[in-house]
Amino acid sequence: NAGVTQTPKFQVLKTGQSMTLQCAQDMNHNSMYWYRQDPGMGLRLIYYSASEGTTDKGEVPNGYNVSRLNKREFSLRLESAAPSQTSVYFCASRVAGGGYNEQFFGPGTRLTVL
Amino acid sequence: RKEVEQDPGPFNVPEGATVAFNCTYSNSASQSFFWYRQDCRKEPKLLMSVYSSGNEDGRFTAQLNRASQYISLLIRDSKLSDSATYLCVVNRLNQGGKLIFGQGTELSVKP
């Protein structure tokens, strides 16, 4: 099993450009998440999908959109990138259901917006 | 005020030392508590869950004080390989599994 995979690993954009970050998991997990990590801020939740067909806003959703394409894939789109979106983006997934289930993270996408 | 707060460090300790990390959370609705470990430029990985009665996993001991809304992690006999950032994480019941992360405490273990 590859676990959680993310593409691309690195990306440089100019202000105003758009791009989609891809995430896929092969663990048959129900829930998927997108976080961003900035120095001194910890990880902050952007959007999540509790199950296939549903998406909800997290703590910092402005400037982003998501698509839960199927059970395996959850993409994050920046329609018009801004320098404030320079960050490391992590995708995660969990089984979901009763109680807490560990979240498994992908390796991250390092995005720079100039 | 952040919902989960940690001392950012860095903590610089010699091999074999005992080191303790503290964490406070502000939302009393928090139900589940964890320590994640993050190596430099890598993804976070679950180190251990934190139970009300306290729990131990080898050299690592986690404690929870719900009344004070305080979580701790103790590492005994530090190894070079323990060098990483330790993230305090909380989860509220019925919140879709959403996790709230502290900013992390950096640990550097020196020979």
Side-chain angles (χ1 to χ4, degrees):
Chain A
N1 284 358
V4 180
T5 57
Q6 293 182 236
T7 56
K9 285 187 168 51
F10 301 93
Q11 184 71 49
V12 178
L13 293 177
K14 293 181 180 177
T15 297
Q17 287 185 315
S18 62
M19 79 161 295
T20 299
L21 281 63
Q22 306 286 354
C23 174
Q25 51 89 12
D26 62 1
M27 297 176 283
N28 201 35
H29 285 173
N30 298 312
S31 301
M32 297 184 74
Y33 307 83
W34 275 106
Y35 295 89
R36 59 178 289 174
Q37 185 174 31
D38 302 296
M41 296 293 292
L43 277 83
R44 292 180 293 169
L45 183 65
I46 304 170
Y47 269 94
Y48 69 104
S49 172
S51 60
E52 188 179 354
T54 69
T55 60
D56 285 286
K57 295 178 180 179
E59 182 185 354
V60 287
N62 290 347
Y64 305 96
N65 286 301
V66 290
S67 295
R68 183 75 183 266
L69 303 169
N70 47 55
K71 191 171 186 179
R72 289 187 63 248
E73 298 172 287
F74 188 38
S75 63
L76 179 72
R77 183 160 178 83
L78 287 70
E79 289 292 351
S80 179
S84 60
Q85 294 178 305
T86 294
S87 188
V88 181
Y89 291 85
F90 288 103
C91 177
S93 70
R94 74 186 262 266
V95 171
Y100 172 79
N101 307 104
E102 178 184 354
Q103 285 193 19
F104 294 84
F105 286 81
T109 294
R110 282 158 181 78
L111 175 66
T112 300
V113 183
L114 302 175
Chain B
R1 184 188 169 197
K2 292 178 183 169
E3 187 166 344
V4 179
E5 296 214 54
Q6 299 179 246
D7 181 344
F11 283 52
N12 296 303
V13 303
E15 262 187 301
T18 296
V19 60
F21 302 139
N22 302 319
C23 170
T24 57
Y25 61 96
S26 59
N27 193 324
S28 59
S30 299
Q31 291 285 337
S32 305
F33 309 90
F34 315 91
W35 285 100
Y36 273 69
R37 171 191 168 129
Q38 185 173 26
D39 293 300
C40 187
R41 301 180 70 79
K42 296 288 182 80
E43 71 272 23
K45 293 183 180 179
L46 180 65
L47 177 67
M48 60 195 300
S49 300
V50 186
Y51 303 119
S52 296
S53 55
N55 49 298
E56 195 172 295
D57 183 1
R59 297 181 293 108
F60 299 84
T61 300
Q63 298 278 355
L64 168 65
N65 184 322
R66 285 186 185 270
S68 303
Q69 297 183 191
Y70 170 90
I71 307 159
S72 66
L73 177 69
L74 185 76
I75 305 176
R76 291 182 300 278
D77 189 22
S78 300
K79 312 291 185 191
L80 297 176
S81 58
D82 293 333
S83 296
T85 296
Y86 291 83
L87 305 169
C88 177
V89 185
V90 306
N91 167 253
R92 281 179 250 143
L93 193 64
N94 298 326
Q95 290 281 305
K98 289 188 290 185
L99 299 178
I100 312 297
F101 286 79
Q103 71 268 46
T105 298
E106 185 182 345
L107 172 66
S108 179
V109 182
K110 307 290 189 186

